Structures are given as structure tokens and as C-alpha cells.
Amino acid sequence: MITTRPVQAWGFFSHRLINRLAVYTLPREMIGFYKTNIDYLTDNATRPDSRRTVVPGEAPRHFLDVDVYGDSAVYKLPRSYADAVALLGEDSLLRHGIVPWQVARMKGQLTEAFRLHETDRILHLSADLGHYIADACVPLHATHNYNGQLTNQRGIHALWESRLPELLSNGYDFFTGPAPYLDRPTDVIWQAVGRSAAAVDSVLRFERELTLKFPEDRKYGFEQRGNLTVRAYSRDFAREYHQRLNGQVERQMRLALRLVGAFWYTAWVDAGQPDLDKLPRAPSRKEQERLALEAKQLLEPAPKAPAPGHEE
């Protein structure tokens, strides 16, 4: 069977890697708890993507179409979600994405979970928060032209955030140093979105230039994935695209894992630095049952929830 690969935010491989590596940026007081649960944080890094088409309201949490709001949008849009709703209307916000507001909201939730010593919520929120922060670091999550569909470059989403990391991340430098405390975390996530938006032009332009150089049969190839024959960007095309981007994907992945660790650390500090060694060392049976039920529900045939915006 021949198929094309679905688009996923950063790709499951990259989301899991980012959450996993972020654990090692944490201070001594946190790393024991997080390292004990590193498999939970890694395995569940992709759950927000799994929920995208079945959970109402999930899809807009992954992106922000900066370009639909005009010049300097990342500086002009309200930082408060309530203010943004008042200014733009919630329908418009959900259509064009809410990722920076989602990250700010979840940072507050994680802080409260630390304050209340709620192990299950700390783990659940940490895993999900890592996903949304990583999405904010993807250029194609900051534009309405999220998959090149407006410029005849459909498929570029998977090329940038899945194909390149899967082929080349073994050579990436992921050292970021210790997670820093964020004095203004809301500003930080908006800066990350702004950085992503600023990179959109090069992401699209270099692919367009390279496509003129590569005939169709050299741009794409076929690979075996399990029992499927998958059409994918060729390794030669991917490597040359990576060279033209001059390490952009590597830099954005490194930024993502640094910010994930920083938001976890900042939430813990803002909660009063609770002693995590006194918490249960693993998710409860109730949390394990919740995850199992959610996984089962995601596999069951059901009417797809409306997913405005980036229909990946």
C-alpha cells in the first residue's frame, strides 16, 4: 500500500525528544521527580496532537496565524485572553489560533498544581505544556500558509518539522545549560511566536528555490514504513534544504526544549518551590486508567470535532 505521511506538529519523534531532553535542564530539586517520570513525559508529549480532531477546542491551541492580524501583530495583540476576546471575538481567535494564550494559561495551572502537591496534574500539565511550547517554536505554526497550501508548496509542514529532525537530529547540538527562571513568562512565549513568524519567509523561500533545482523524481522518493510504502521528500532534497536553512530546525528545537524546562522550573518556583521528593514517585492508578480510557476513546470511530484553522 502506498500512502503519504500525515502532518503532525514537530512530528511525534520530535515532541517526545523535546520533552525528554527538557528534563535534564532542571535543577537538582526537580530532576529526581521528573527523571523518575521521564517515560510518562515522553510518551504523553504527543497526546495533544492525538486529540486535535476529536476534542472540541483542541486544534486552535497549537498555532497562531500571526500574518492575518497585520504588521507587528505579535507586539499589538493583547496578552490577556479576555482582552483579546473583547477586541477580536472568540470565533476569530479560535479560527486563527491561541497558542501563546494557551501556554500562559497552562503555566498558571501548573503553578497551582505544584502549590497543591497534585502529582497527577503536575505530570499531565507538564507533558501537555511541553507540547504547546514546542509548537510555538515552529515557523509554520505562525502563519495562515501553514502547509504551503497558498503558495503551491503543500507538504512543506512535514518536511520542516518531521522529515528534517528524523533524518538529521542525531547530529544536532541540544545542550542548552540549566533551565532559567522566567520573570515574564507570557512575554517569553510571545517572543518565541514572534521568532517563529519571522522565520516563515526563509522556510518557504528556500523550499521554493530548491524545488526549481530538483526534478520531481529527485525531490520525492518512496520508503518502507512497516507494511506501508510511504512517499516522502528524498534524503538529498531534505539535506540540501537543511543546509540552506543553516541550522534553523536545530536552533528551534533547542529553543523549544530550553523553554519547556524553563516553564516547568518557573511554575515550580512561583509555587514556592515545594519539595517534590515528598510526592508519589509515579502517576496514580486513577491517572493510568484515565490515560488508558483516553487512548481507547481516540481509537474509536466517532464524528470528528470541528477543527478550524490548521487542518493537519
Side-chain angles (χ1 to χ4, degrees), residues 59-268:
R61 299 171 181 171
H62 298 249
F63 63 92
L64 176 64
D65 293 336
V66 174
D67 43 8
V68 306
Y69 293 111
D71 292 340
S72 304
V74 291
Y75 305 105
K76 295 177 180 177
L77 287 170
R79 291 336 189 215
S80 160
Y81 187 68
D83 290 345
V85 170
L87 178 66
L88 300 165
E90 191 157 37
D91 287 346
S92 177
L93 290 173
L94 295 178
R95 183 163 58 253
H96 296 301
I98 60 170
V99 66
W101 293 291
Q102 174 69 11
V103 169
R105 181 177 71 89
M106 291 195 70
K107 185 272 170 187
Q109 292 176 336
L110 181 57
T111 299
E112 186 65 10
F114 276 125
R115 188 175 291 121
L116 297 176
H117 303 164
E118 296 177 335
T119 297
D120 289 347
R121 277 183 60 76
I122 291 170
L123 293 173
H124 174 78
L125 291 167
S126 293
D128 278 9
L129 180 58
H131 183 104
Y132 299 123
I133 292 169
D135 278 355
C137 296
V138 176
L140 291 168
H141 280 251
T143 174
H144 186 54
N145 191 22
Y146 57 90
N147 196 23
Q149 75 280 7
L150 303 180
T151 50
N152 196 30
Q153 295 174 276
R154 192 174 292 276
I156 192 172
H157 201 130
L159 170 64
W160 192 96
E161 62 185 19
S162 293
R163 185 66 167 159
L164 295 189
E166 288 173 6
L167 285 178
L168 302 166
S169 63
N170 281 343
Y172 289 178
D173 175 10
F174 288 122
F175 179 75
T176 68
Y181 176 79
L182 305 175
D183 291 310
R184 302 174 67 90
T186 296
D187 288 347
V188 169
I189 195 61
W190 278 92
Q191 289 165 6
V193 171
R195 172 169 159 165
S196 295
V200 170
D201 177 69
S202 60
V203 169
L204 295 170
R205 176 164 49 86
F206 290 141
E207 193 278 343
R208 191 161 48 242
E209 292 172 356
L210 202 53
T211 295
L212 296 176
K213 177 181 175 181
F214 275 72
E216 185 85 359
D217 62 347
R218 286 191 59 224
K219 180 178 179 179
Y220 299 102
F222 293 92
E223 297 183 355
Q224 198 69 25
R225 299 290 180 99
N227 62 347
L228 298 177
T229 301
V230 177
R231 183 175 185 260
Y233 288 92
S234 71
R235 292 171 181 259
D236 287 344
F237 187 91
R239 288 193 176 96
E240 187 156 343
Y241 183 53
H242 182 266
Q243 290 174 0
R244 292 199 180 203
L245 289 170
N246 194 28
Q248 184 188 79
V249 176
E250 177 182 356
R251 289 193 300 274
Q252 291 302 108
M253 285 188 74
R254 191 163 56 238
L255 171 66
L257 76 89
R258 178 175 172 82
L259 290 184
V260 171
F263 269 83
W264 291 346
Y265 174 54
T266 301
W268 174 74

Side-chain angles (χ1 to χ4, degrees), residues 32-43:
F33 174 79
Y34 272 79
K35 196 171 180 182
T36 298
N37 291 287
I38 197 168
D39 288 339
Y40 176 104
L41 295 164
T42 302
D43 295 342

Side-chain angles (χ1 to χ4, degrees), residues 18-39:
I18 288 166
N19 265 17
R20 191 173 194 88
L21 293 178
V23 170
Y24 295 96
T25 70
L26 298 174
R28 178 182 55 80
E29 296 89 344
M30 295 182 72
I31 198 169
F33 174 79
Y34 272 79
K35 196 171 180 182
T36 298
N37 291 287
I38 197 168
D39 288 339

Side-chain angles (χ1 to χ4, degrees), residues 4-16 18 45-53 58 62 131 134-135 138 140-141 146-147 155-166 304 310-312:
T4 55
R5 298 184 66 200
V7 175
Q8 299 289 352
W10 266 124
F12 279 10
F13 164 83
S14 298
H15 269 302
R16 289 172 175 146
I18 288 166
T46 60
R47 279 189 180 266
D49 272 341
S50 300
R51 298 193 299 259
R52 283 180 62 97
T53 59
E58 176 61 44
H62 298 249
H131 183 104
D135 278 355
V138 176
L140 291 168
H141 280 251
Y146 57 90
N147 196 23
I156 192 172
H157 201 130
L159 170 64
W160 192 96
E161 62 185 19
S162 293
R163 185 66 167 159
L164 295 189
E166 288 173 6
K304 287 192 174 184
H310 297 194
E311 299 174 359
E312 297 181 29

